[in-house]
Amino acid sequence: MDDILARAKSDLRVLGVRPNHMPFDASQALHPLALDYVIAGSRLGTQVLKRRWTAATDPLTQSASAYFSAPTYIEFWRGFCQQTETILGTDPVAKVVLKDADRIFEFYNACARSARKSLGVLHV
């Protein structure tokens, strides 16, 4: 997590973007498996975005290479899968993990809406 965060911050500096700190409601702790699911899973999704980044022709975009050149960290995804393969969907733990993962995705959504709004994108 520290590596990915440092890489994202580096790219934002290269792009001249100041991070917008969105508050996250941490009044309720998140289940560790929810964090693992979102963070490790996002590395898989990043591979799709990486293809778009690689195809970019803007030199500034190309210079922001730290995040997309990070390792896949596939071992974290595999570890998540091993930890959860025996948890049934009806298990109370599964319900907590899903609820907490949903909280994280809602936070991501709020961040995306905020960024789009600050860039003047009408459909947020």
Side-chain angles (χ1 to χ4, degrees), residues 8 17 25 59 68 83 103 108 111 115:
V17 175
D25 177 13
F68 288 117
Q83 286 182 322
R103 284 179 54 210
Y108 278 13
C111 290

Side-chain angles (χ1 to χ4, degrees), residues 5-81:
L5 181 59
R7 288 170 180 273
K9 286 180 177 181
S10 172
D11 285 345
L12 289 174
R13 280 192 301 276
V14 168
L15 295 170
V17 175
R18 191 166 165 239
N20 180 5
H21 296 282
M22 297 282 296
F24 180 78
D25 177 13
S27 61
Q28 294 178 313
L30 294 167
H31 195 286
L33 287 174
L35 288 168
D36 289 350
Y37 172 74
V38 173
I39 301 301
S42 74
R43 297 306 303 151
L44 297 172
T46 295
Q47 297 309 303
V48 174
L49 296 174
K50 183 178 181 177
R51 287 192 289 272
R52 285 182 151 181
W53 167 75
T54 303
T57 56
D58 177 41
L60 181 60
T61 300
Q62 285 290 316
S63 68
S65 61
Y67 182 81
F68 288 117
S69 62
T72 63
Y73 293 111
I74 192 69
E75 66 276 9
F76 293 111
W77 180 252
R78 287 184 183 131
F80 169 81
C81 291

